[in-house]
Amino acid sequence: MNATLTDRYVDAAMRTVPERQREDLAAELRASIEDQIDARLASGDSREAAEHAVLTELGDPDRLAAGYTGRPLWLVGPRYFLDWRRLLKLLLAIVPVCAAFGVALAQTLSGASFGDIVGAVFGVVFQVVIHLVFWVTLVFVVLERTGHETMNPGKWTPESLPQLRENGATFGELIGNLVFLAIGAGAVLWDHFIGFAPAYPGMSFLADDLWPWWIAGLFVVMALEALLSIAVFALRRWTIPFAVVNGILSLGLALTAVWLLTAGRLINPEFFPTIIADGGAEVGTILTVILGFVFAGIAVWDTTDAALKATRGRGLGQRGQGAGGTVR
């Protein structure tokens, strides 16, 4: 028996339909096709032409079957798309960075070369990103297919609006920055004249060779940071030039500190061997590596944060000018 186009179409459409629904839906679809063919036959079309035209109008049988069963034809549909995107963006902003930091720190402490460190970090970050995208998407695909309301998207209301993002120009941030800089300067002076090891008066943590010129340079950078904070507060927002200056100061200070660390000129070489009888040198080596990563991380975070605030501040400034007002 030769199968007709209708037989082949119905069979293709029913392949993805649950077996308990297959017989009823097949009969319903076949009857619908026959009715449409009969209507075309009444208009004078041949049987073959009418059948071909009807099946062409019905379209892809898999798409038709999905409509019958209510099965979505997407991985993550409109119901969960925004939640999927928000969660994925959050995880991609945090997890790869933490993984890169941990791997780089572990490789450095183990004495790996720079090339080995870069290769290991790249490989781990690549795998982490792939796994995050895959597993997060898989969870939402399962939620989409099973119809669970675990995340309960609900109806949007104005109460769901996020709080305004800080632009870094508040009085509280100004005071916080100035106090932080003052504490930093005080700690440097305390370390030089008194020391942080009570059992060893005068034992400084920082190398004595940093005085006076390196420390003077540090105080100049701190003063510039203080002036920058005051300027940002006076303008009530960050600007691109302010962010560039901040990046130069932060990255310049971090690179200088890391260079001094690697050259053995930042930390007093006698500090740890003196206060820790056994293993002091090893502790100093480990702390040197950790401090290098901390300096670099703080500089990158501070530069990125200022750049983002400057971008938002530029948008606020343009909207204020467009409204005929001045942003204060």
Side-chain angles (χ1 to χ4, degrees):
M1 178 179 177
N2 294 327
T4 65
L5 286 179
T6 299
D7 294 331
R8 292 162 56 190
Y9 189 92
V10 172
D11 180 70
M14 294 302 109
R15 289 177 183 177
T16 56
V17 172
E19 187 172 354
R20 64 180 183 275
Q21 300 175 268
R22 193 170 298 167
E23 184 176 350
D24 292 338
L25 289 178
E28 180 182 340
L29 177 58
R30 188 179 296 276
S32 175
I33 293 173
E34 289 299 328
D35 289 342
Q36 295 180 61
I37 291 176
D38 290 342
R40 287 183 175 272
L41 291 175
S43 300
D45 292 349
S46 65
R47 172 79 187 186
E48 182 179 350
E51 184 180 34
H52 189 277
V54 168
L55 297 182
T56 301
E57 288 183 357
L58 287 175
D60 192 321
D62 288 332
R63 185 178 298 276
L64 185 72
Y68 271 121
T69 59
R71 188 180 70 253
L73 295 178
W74 51 72
L75 283 177
V76 180
R79 178 171 52 172
Y80 291 120
F81 177 78
L82 292 177
D83 293 310
W84 168 80
R85 186 177 65 178
R86 292 184 186 115
L87 179 59
L88 192 59
K89 286 173 63 177
L90 177 64
L91 293 177
L92 288 176
I94 297 175
V95 178
V97 175
C98 294
F101 180 85
V103 171
L105 180 59
Q107 290 286 318
T108 303
L109 291 174
S110 66
S113 65
F114 179 76
D116 291 337
I117 294 173
V118 172
V121 169
F122 178 80
V124 169
V125 169
F126 180 77
Q127 293 182 48
V128 167
V129 170
I130 294 299
H131 278 284
L132 280 177
V133 174
F134 174 78
W135 292 109
V136 171
T137 303
L138 179 62
V139 169
F140 279 91
V141 168
V142 172
L143 293 176
E144 187 77 54
R145 293 302 185 275
T146 57
H148 286 307
E149 296 290 346
T150 304
M151 301 192 70
N152 190 24
K155 182 180 179 181
W156 183 89
T157 63
E159 287 72 25
S160 304
L161 288 170
Q163 297 295 325
L164 290 176
R165 293 177 292 185
E166 292 291 342
N167 60 8
T170 63
F171 182 72
E173 291 208 18
L174 171 63
I175 297 301
N177 290 338
L178 295 180
V179 169
F180 177 79
L181 291 171
I183 292 175
V188 171
L189 294 173
W190 182 283
D191 176 67
H192 182 68
F193 293 106
I194 299 177
F196 286 103
Y200 301 92
M203 174 65 66
S204 63
F205 176 77
L206 297 177
D208 290 334
D209 293 342
L210 296 176
W211 289 82
W213 301 114
W214 287 106
I215 298 300
L218 173 63
F219 287 159
V220 169
V221 172
M222 287 182 168
L224 292 175
E225 288 278 7
L227 292 175
L228 180 62
S229 297
I230 294 171
V232 170
F233 176 73
L235 192 61
R236 294 293 192 272
R237 62 186 177 90
W238 278 86
T239 64
I240 298 300
F242 284 167
V244 171
V245 172
N246 179 79
I248 293 174
L249 293 176
S250 297
L251 295 177
L253 184 60
L255 290 175
T256 302
V258 171
W259 177 76
L260 289 172
L261 272 172
T262 56
R265 300 176 60 185
L266 183 66
I267 300 176
N268 183 358
E270 299 178 0
F271 183 80
F272 287 106
T274 300
I275 66 173
I276 302 176
D278 297 326
E282 289 77 7
V283 172
T285 301
I286 294 174
L287 184 62
T288 296
V289 174
I290 294 175
L291 283 177
F293 278 89
V294 170
F295 290 151
I298 292 176
V300 171
W301 174 84
D302 184 55
T303 302
T304 303
D305 182 60
L308 293 175
K309 290 175 179 177
T311 302
R312 294 198 294 266
R314 182 173 59 178
L316 290 173
Q318 291 173 348
R319 287 196 293 271
Q321 293 172 4
T326 302
V327 177
R328 297 298 297 172

